[in-house]
Amino acid sequence: ENRDVWIPQVTKKKKHVTAHRRSEMQISTRGTAKYQIKKLSQSTANVNPADKNRLFCMVPFIWRPTNLPAYHAIRNTWGKRCHILKFFIDPIIGDAEVGHYNATKASEINSARKANLTIPNDVVILHDMEREWHTCNSGENNRKSDETCRNIWEKIWRAWVHVVYGPTGGFRRGVAIKVHEETSFAFKAEWFVKVDADTYLFPENVARYVEWKKWSHDEHHYFGHVLNHRVSDRGVSIVAGAAAFFSRATLLAAADAFRRMPMENGNLEEDGTCRDAYTGTDEVVTAVCLKQYANVTAEPAIDSQGREEVALFDISDILSWNRTQMGEWWYWEGKERFPCHDKGDCLAHLPMAFHKYEPQYFYDFEKEFYGYVTKAKKNDASLFISDNGSLASRNWPNFDMTYQYLQRV
C-alpha cells in the first residue's frame, strides 16, 4: 500500500494478511496485539517530481486567532502528504479582540506581526478580494461582529484563478492571457482539491483512486461527494464543498471560465448562471460554470461497492445509516442505489476525506492511521481497547462499529 501503516506484533498467534480488492485491503490479527510503527516507503502523495498523480491542496481560510489551531493541525497531519499545500486568505486578518489588519498594507502587516498574526509562506493573500468577511453583520449595540460574510464564492474563484494565472489573475478583458507553465501552480501538480479547514484529507488515497479509475489529468474530471438536490432549480449536480477535486484539464477550464464570467451584479445572490455573486453556495456556481463553459459535469467518487469516498458528516453516524428508513432527503436524492445504502458500512475503506471535524480529531486520525506508540497498561483510563485488544486514540462514538471501520481504513 506504500504508506506508513500499523504492523501488529502478535504475541500468541502469527498475524495473517489477506489482500482483497483495492477498496478492501486490511490487516487482521488474532490474539493480543502490541503495536509498533514500521516506516515504509514515502506516501505516494509526498513530494516526488516523477509522481504522475501529485495533489495540490487549496484550503480557503480566514487568518484570525481562533482559526490558527486548524492551520497547525492541517500542516502537522494530512497537509504533509499533499504535494503542495496552500491556504488562501482574505486581506483582512485578525479579529475584534486583537484588532483587524489589512494585509495589503505594509504598515498594517507590521502591526499584525506584533499581534502574533505573522503570515507564513504557505499562506496566500488574495489582495483583490472586494467583499470583506468581517463587516456584514451587526452585533450588540449595532457594533460590527466577526461573523463571516457570504464571500466564499469570491474567495474560491479568485483562489483558482491565482493558482492558474498567478497573482495578477489574468483579468485583462478581451485579451488572451497565456498560462506560463514554468510559474503556474497548475503545472506543478496533476490533481487539485479545494478542501475545507474542517476536513481531514487522505492525499495518497486520491492518487490511488484516480489510478484505479485509470483517469488522466489531461481529461476532464470534477469529482467528490456528488449531491443532486440542486438539479431541480439549477440544472446541475454539485460536488460538496468539503473536498472538491479537479483534474488539471478541468482546473484550467474552470479558471478560464472564472476569468471571463460577468462581474456585474456581483452584489446579488447567485441565479443559476456563471457570474460573480454574493453567495455562500460556491458549489452551485462552480458546477454551473464548468457546465456552461466546458460541458463538464460532476462525477461521484465512490468505490466498486458504491461506498462514498468523502464522508460529509461524522463517520460514526453515516456508517449506520439506512436509506430506506431515512427516506429520500437531499443527501440521498438522485443517487444510484447500492446494497450498502441499507446494510450500512457505506464509506469507502480507502477514503479520500472525512468532513466536519475539529482540529484535535485530526491528530487522533493521524495516530489511528499513521502510527501510535504507547506503553500504557490496558487499565489506563486514557486508553480505549477494541474487542481484539488493539488500542484506539480516543473513545470514538459508537465505538465498536466506528473502530472496526477505522481498522479497515
Side-chain angles (χ1 to χ4, degrees):
E1 287 294 311
N2 197 27
R3 61 186 283 186
D4 298 345
V5 296
W6 284 95
I7 301 296
Q9 304 297 308
V10 181
T11 56
K12 291 184 178 181
K13 296 182 180 181
K14 293 183 179 180
K15 64 182 173 68
H16 65 275
V17 178
T18 305
H20 296 289
R21 61 173 59 97
R22 168 196 165 276
S23 61
E24 297 173 350
M25 180 66 187
Q26 62 185 36
I27 298 177
S28 59
T29 64
R30 293 175 180 170
T32 302
K34 297 178 181 178
Y35 285 85
Q36 68 178 19
I37 298 176
K38 182 176 180 180
K39 196 76 172 179
L40 300 184
S41 57
Q42 291 289 325
S43 164
T44 56
N46 283 355
V47 176
N48 179 358
D51 191 349
K52 64 180 180 180
N53 287 313
R54 300 168 297 177
L55 184 66
F56 183 104
C57 301
M58 186 273 278
V59 186
F61 208 71
I62 294 176
W63 199 253
R64 58 180 174 180
T66 54
N67 287 357
L68 296 186
Y71 167 78
H72 292 295
I74 291 170
R75 291 190 76 242
N76 291 320
T77 60
W78 62 259
K80 298 183 294 185
R81 291 179 287 276
C82 296
H83 181 68
I84 298 174
L85 171 67
K86 294 291 182 182
F87 298 79
F88 284 78
I89 67 169
D90 308 71
I92 303 300
I93 63 177
D95 61 17
E97 183 175 345
V98 302
H100 293 105
Y101 305 91
N102 189 335
T104 64
K105 299 178 180 179
S107 60
E108 295 197 28
I109 282 288
N110 291 331
S111 299
R113 290 194 186 103
K114 295 177 182 178
N116 296 318
L117 290 172
T118 300
I119 299 176
N121 291 334
D122 57 3
V123 174
V124 178
I125 304 169
L126 295 170
H127 291 285
D128 294 331
M129 287 283 294
E130 296 180 356
R131 300 169 180 85
E132 295 182 345
W133 63 266
H134 68 303
T135 59
C136 58
N137 293 293
S138 295
E140 295 181 3
N141 301 319
N142 293 320
R143 295 176 61 187
K144 296 296 185 181
S145 73
D146 273 344
E147 187 174 349
T148 57
C149 305
R150 295 188 302 161
N151 70 348
I152 185 62
W153 166 231
E154 182 188 3
K155 184 182 290 186
I156 298 303
W157 70 254
R158 287 193 185 276
W160 285 135
V161 169
H162 184 288
V163 168
V164 173
Y165 294 100
T168 58
F171 285 103
R172 284 184 281 168
R173 297 292 179 182
V175 177
I177 304 298
K178 178 178 175 59
V179 178
H180 296 282
E181 295 187 16
E182 301 81 6
T183 57
S184 172
F185 279 125
F187 291 88
K188 299 184 186 301
E190 286 71 43
W191 303 92
F192 301 80
V193 59
K194 172 262 174 179
V195 54
D196 285 348
D198 61 348
T199 294
Y200 183 88
L201 192 71
F202 297 84
E204 67 276 28
N205 285 348
V206 180
R208 292 187 178 105
Y209 184 78
V210 298
E211 289 174 1
W212 174 65
K213 297 288 286 186
K214 294 181 170 56
W215 284 351
S216 167
H217 61 270
D218 291 324
E219 304 165 344
H220 280 303
H221 295 291
Y222 162 51
F223 60 105
H225 193 122
V226 171
L227 301 171
N228 304 296
H229 62 294
R230 301 307 302 269
V231 172
S232 59
D233 67 339
R234 291 295 180 255
V236 290
S237 296
I238 66 174
V239 172
F245 300 90
F246 307 81
S247 64
R248 180 191 293 162
T250 299
L251 180 69
L252 292 172
D256 182 61
F258 301 158
R259 186 181 68 85
R260 294 191 289 132
M261 69 184 179
M263 295 291 120
E264 298 79 11
N265 300 319
N267 61 320
L268 302 178
E269 177 63 66
E270 63 86 19
D271 59 3
T273 63
C274 180
R275 64 168 175 83
D276 188 27
Y278 181 63
T279 183
T281 57
D282 61 286
E283 300 99 325
V284 172
V285 195
T286 297
V288 168
C289 288
L290 284 173
K291 182 178 180 181
Q292 180 178 328
Y293 281 87
N295 198 30
V296 175
T297 56
E299 300 176 83
I302 55 177
D303 69 9
S304 61
Q305 306 302 308
R307 296 178 292 218
E308 296 284 355
E309 295 281 348
V310 177
L312 297 188
F313 304 102
D314 192 312
I315 59 174
S316 62
D317 293 328
I318 299 175
L319 288 168
S320 62
W321 281 2
N322 183 299
R323 183 172 181 175
T324 299
Q325 293 177 359
M326 297 179 80
E328 294 298 295
W329 58 296
W330 63 261
Y331 180 88
W332 296 113
E333 185 176 337
K335 289 183 178 178
E336 180 183 355
R337 198 163 195 125
F338 290 93
C340 71
H341 289 181
D342 289 328
K343 293 180 179 179
D345 187 28
C346 214
L347 294 178
H349 296 175
L350 284 175
M352 294 196 290
F354 296 158
H355 182 49
K356 295 188 89 66
Y357 282 97
E358 296 294 326
Q360 180 54 48
Y361 282 85
F362 288 15
Y363 297 105
D364 293 328
F365 285 134
E366 201 76 3
K367 293 172 185 177
E368 295 287 5
F369 303 133
Y370 300 97
Y372 183 43
V373 178
T374 180
K375 296 181 180 179
K377 297 180 180 179
K378 285 187 178 181
N379 61 3
D380 189 322
S382 66
L383 295 178
F384 305 96
I385 314 300
S386 72
D387 54 8
N388 73 353
S390 58
L391 306 176
S393 63
R394 75 160 46 232
N395 188 11
W396 301 100
N398 300 320
F399 183 83
D400 290 338
M401 176 186 63
T402 303
Y403 195 62
Q404 287 176 13
Y405 170 73
L406 296 179
Q407 289 184 303
R408 288 193 291 272
V409 173

